[in-house]
């Protein structure tokens, strides 16, 4: 792989422009701006009813008891509460796991349960269930352990819990392996419902299989609250609504798809709760991140709040973030928010350094590889996923980055749409201690003695699946738009597509033949590009993040791919292009 490939994110993206909306559907959606109608059509919202539900909220939340295992889980938890049995909620150290843990602990305490959180330390313990932790929880008096955002592949650990007298309920959303933790009292995972429909031809079951871990935890809390109100004739000490801010944080931070109606509804409701910043920790976190509560959006979570919550588990203990989300002490919340801010700055610096090291390691033997693989004892376990993500984005190849310990190595993977990385790890299961994840993001633990074999096998799998293909990142363009249509009114209408994010990206447009009236570097080290475009009498500003190097390569006239947004500055609001790519007119894929 030539180092020149590193530049492909700037000048070699494919532009895939969506087919034009049929006139009959455009007429059907005549209540919307034609550009907005095109965007809705691209997202499958091709009737007024569908569009209204997508934009204004469907009100749709599915029955939690439709999830397989839910009735058994609720029954066992209610039994534990009545017996004053100690419960442990066992989470994960990322934002999804931390919010899941905080949500379920708060819900159980509101129901009168004796419950404690347990989040493993990333460096000392690693991801998932561990027998040592289960032994500790047993010694501390727990009789029931509930996992959140983990456990679906922990077959041996669940079996071990049963052998020492611990009942275990697994709630998770990750991909399911060949074996399932059948020794658990109950397993709740929407992907299990999807598999059962496929394997057993079931017509029923839970209809949404892409909830985040915190979404699954919320459905368990919802079921428990319903059972309490029905059977005990008393309401819980809190409202379900009080938990939705955590659902929004975890769902967006974990990149759960926001084109799914239930995810959209959960996040939409959660953003309303976040706008009140009811939790002291959320208020203080927004303060250090520079987010105004009333303007909190999915983008605010994805780029400002989520990374700071994640920083705790990456470099220290995730319990810092857990305490931030659960404390009622505003002074303590402020201290914790500052601690997360410092950890996030450190995380950014360490990631930048590690990317440089990983880039050299990955290509020192061969520059033409189908998969990027870098391992070193120098890497910090908490940032290998970020480094893999950066390399995957830069080179548009699956990337595996591994921190090598004394005996074991822990790796994190990020992948492209053409390559299912978790399926690839499944083919290497005999070499791994444990693994799991999604199609485009996964993690694993491997003995050092098997590390070179793992690299060779993953390379072979990648060569078979994607070798020889013209792999380039693709920009999915919603529409080609005339410059004069780029108004503040259109930008305001497009905001109705929120929450945008994974599965429902902010709409992307192309404008042809814009004259570059001004271009200058801005930001630290000139990484970004401030632009002003003209088309006849029409002028519009643009910002191109991480494209500062384009300043010396711009032609007088450019075709521009961009998001249309409203820029609010000093009381003025005007449309702005958030530039994603540039190319000279006439350039083809």
């Amino acid at each position: 792989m030539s180092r020149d490939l590193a530049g492909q994110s700037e000048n070699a993206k494919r532009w895939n422009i969506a087919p034009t909306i049929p006139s009959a559907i455009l007429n059907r959606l005549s209540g919307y701006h034609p550009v907005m109608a095109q965007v809705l059509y691209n997202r499958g919202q091709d009737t007024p009813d569908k569009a209204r539900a997508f934009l204004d909220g469907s009100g749709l939340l599915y029955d939690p008891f439709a999830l397989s295992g839910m009735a058994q889980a609720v029954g066992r938890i209610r039994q534990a509460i009545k017996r004053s049995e100690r419960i442990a909620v066992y989470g994960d150290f990322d934002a999804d796991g931390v919010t899941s843990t905080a949500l379920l602990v708060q819900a159980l305490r509101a129901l009168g349960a004796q419950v404690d959180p347990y989040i493993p330390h990333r460096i000392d313990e690693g991801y998932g269930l561990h027998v040592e932790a289960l032994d500790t929880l047993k010694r501390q008096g727990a009789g029931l352990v509930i996992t959140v955002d983990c456990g679906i592949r922990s077959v041996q650990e669940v079996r071990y819990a049963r052998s020492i007298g611990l009942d275990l309920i697994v709630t998770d959303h990750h991909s399911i392996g060949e074996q399932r933790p059948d020794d658990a009292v109950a397993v709740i995972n929407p992907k299990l419902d999807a598999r059962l429909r496929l394997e057993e031809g079931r017509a029923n079951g839970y209809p949404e299989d892409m909830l985040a871990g915190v979404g699954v935890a919320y459905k368990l809390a919802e079921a428990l609250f319903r059972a309490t109100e029905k059977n005990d004739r008393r309401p819980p000490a809190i409202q379900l609504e009080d938990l939705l801010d955590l659902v929004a944080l975890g769902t967006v931070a974990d990149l759960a798809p926001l084109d799914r109606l239930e995810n959209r509804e959960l996040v939409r409701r959660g953003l309303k709760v976040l706008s009140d910043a009811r939790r002291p920790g959320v208020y203080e976190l927004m303060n250090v991140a520079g987010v105004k509560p009333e303007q909190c959006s999915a983008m605010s979570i994805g780029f400002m709040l989520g990374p700071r919550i994640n920083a705790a588990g990456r470099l220290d203990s995730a319990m810092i973030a857990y305490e931030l989300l659960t404390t009622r002490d505003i002074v303590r919340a402020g201290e914790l928010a500052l601690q997360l801010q410092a950890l996030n700055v450190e995380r950014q610096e360490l990631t930048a350094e590690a990317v440089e090291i990983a880039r050299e390691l990955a290509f020192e033997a061969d520059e033409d590889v189908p998969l990027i693989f870098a391992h070193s004892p120098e890497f910090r376990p908490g940032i290998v996923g970020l480094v893999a993500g950066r390399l995957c984005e830069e080179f548009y190849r699956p990337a595996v980055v591994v921190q090598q310990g004394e005996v074991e190595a822990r790796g994190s993977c990020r992948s492209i749409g053409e390559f299912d990385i978790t399926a690839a790890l499944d083919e290497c299961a005999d070499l791994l201690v444990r693994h799991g994840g999604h199609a485009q993001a996964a993690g694993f633990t491997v003995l050092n003695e098997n590390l070179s074999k793992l690299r060779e096998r993953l390379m072979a799998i990648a060569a078979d699946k994607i070798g020889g293909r013209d792999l380039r990142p693709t920009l999915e363009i919603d529409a080609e738009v005339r410059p004069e249509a780029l108004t503040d009114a259109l930008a305001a209408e497009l905001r109705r597509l929120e929450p945008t994010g994974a599965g429902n990206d902010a709409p992307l447009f192309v404008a042809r033949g814009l004259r570059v009236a001004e271009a200058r570097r801005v930001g630290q080290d000139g990484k970004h590009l401030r632009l002003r475009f003209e088309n006849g009498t029409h002028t519009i500003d643009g910002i191109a993040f991480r494209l500062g190097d384009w300043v010396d390569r711009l032609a007088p006239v450019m075709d521009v791919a961009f998001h249309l947004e409203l820029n609010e500055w000093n009381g003025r609001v005007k449309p702005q292009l958030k530039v994603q790519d540039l190319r000279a007119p006439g350039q083809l894929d």
Side-chain angles (χ1 to χ4, degrees), residues 294-326:
E294 66 275 12
Q295 295 178 359
C296 186
S297 65
M299 184 176 292
S300 305
I301 296 172
F303 291 95
M304 307 299 289
L305 305 180
R308 286 166 171 80
I309 295 172
N310 271 320
R314 292 192 187 283
L315 300 183
D316 202 319
S317 169
M319 291 304 292
I320 300 169
Y322 171 86
E323 186 183 353
L324 175 91
L325 295 175
T326 55

Side-chain angles (χ1 to χ4, degrees), residues 339-358:
Q339 194 172 350
L340 289 187
Q341 174 71 2
L343 287 170
N344 192 51
V345 171
E346 183 183 3
R347 184 270 306 170
Q348 292 170 326
E349 295 170 349
L350 290 171
T351 301
E353 295 170 4
V355 167
E356 295 301 321
I357 296 171

Side-chain angles (χ1 to χ4, degrees), residues 414-534:
R414 297 294 182 269
S415 194
I416 58 179
E418 294 89 341
F419 188 75
D420 186 332
I421 191 63
T422 296
L425 290 176
D426 286 342
E427 293 187 46
C428 305
D430 58 304
L431 299 175
L432 302 172
V433 176
R434 63 174 62 88
H435 71 285
H438 307 293
Q440 292 183 255
F444 62 83
T445 300
V446 60
L447 294 174
N448 288 341
E449 62 194 54
N450 289 329
L451 195 54
S452 61
K453 294 179 183 177
L454 176 65
R455 179 186 183 280
E456 291 173 7
R457 193 178 299 180
L458 285 174
M459 287 290 182
I461 294 169
D464 178 60
K465 300 289 185 184
I466 58 176
R469 296 175 64 176
D470 178 17
L471 295 175
R472 288 185 288 154
T474 300
L475 294 181
E476 298 294 341
I477 309 293
D478 280 283
E480 187 173 330
V481 181
R482 299 188 314 276
E484 57 269 24
L486 303 175
T487 63
D488 52 356
L490 175 58
E493 185 170 353
L494 292 170
R495 277 188 169 182
R496 296 182 62 193
L497 293 161
E498 288 284 348
T500 55
N504 180 43
D505 291 332
L508 188 61
F509 304 110
V510 162
R512 305 283 188 183
L514 295 182
R515 189 172 75 82
V516 182
E518 181 183 345
R520 56 188 171 86
R521 287 178 179 268
V522 295
Q524 186 178 10
D525 302 323
K527 291 180 181 178
H528 314 310
L529 194 62
R530 174 63 69 181
L531 297 150
R532 183 163 55 84
F533 298 106
E534 291 181 353

Side-chain angles (χ1 to χ4, degrees), residues 35-100:
V35 173
M36 178 63 134
Q38 175 74 58
V39 173
L40 289 167
Y41 170 71
N42 296 345
R43 284 151 179 72
Q45 313 307 319
D46 55 1
T47 69
D49 286 345
K50 286 183 181 179
R52 191 178 307 110
F54 192 78
L55 297 176
D56 301 330
S58 62
L60 175 68
L61 293 181
Y62 299 116
D63 180 2
F65 285 100
L67 278 160
S68 297
M70 184 63 78
Q72 295 91 329
V74 168
R76 180 63 183 89
I77 293 168
R78 283 175 53 78
Q79 181 186 71
I81 294 172
K82 289 177 181 178
R83 294 177 176 177
S84 297
E85 189 177 358
R86 196 137 212 96
I87 301 172
V89 175
Y90 193 115
D92 184 27
F93 35 64
D94 68 357
D96 190 16
V98 172
T99 53
S100 299

Side-chain angles (χ1 to χ4, degrees), residues 14 29 50 101 111 159-160 191 224 272 283 289 346 362 383 405 427 445 491 540 548:
R14 289 192 182 93
L29 298 175
K50 286 183 181 179
T101 305
L111 296 171
R159 186 170 299 149
Y160 178 79
K191 288 185 175 61
L224 285 165
K272 289 180 181 178
Y283 176 83
E346 183 183 3
I383 62 170
E427 293 187 46
T445 300
I540 192 166

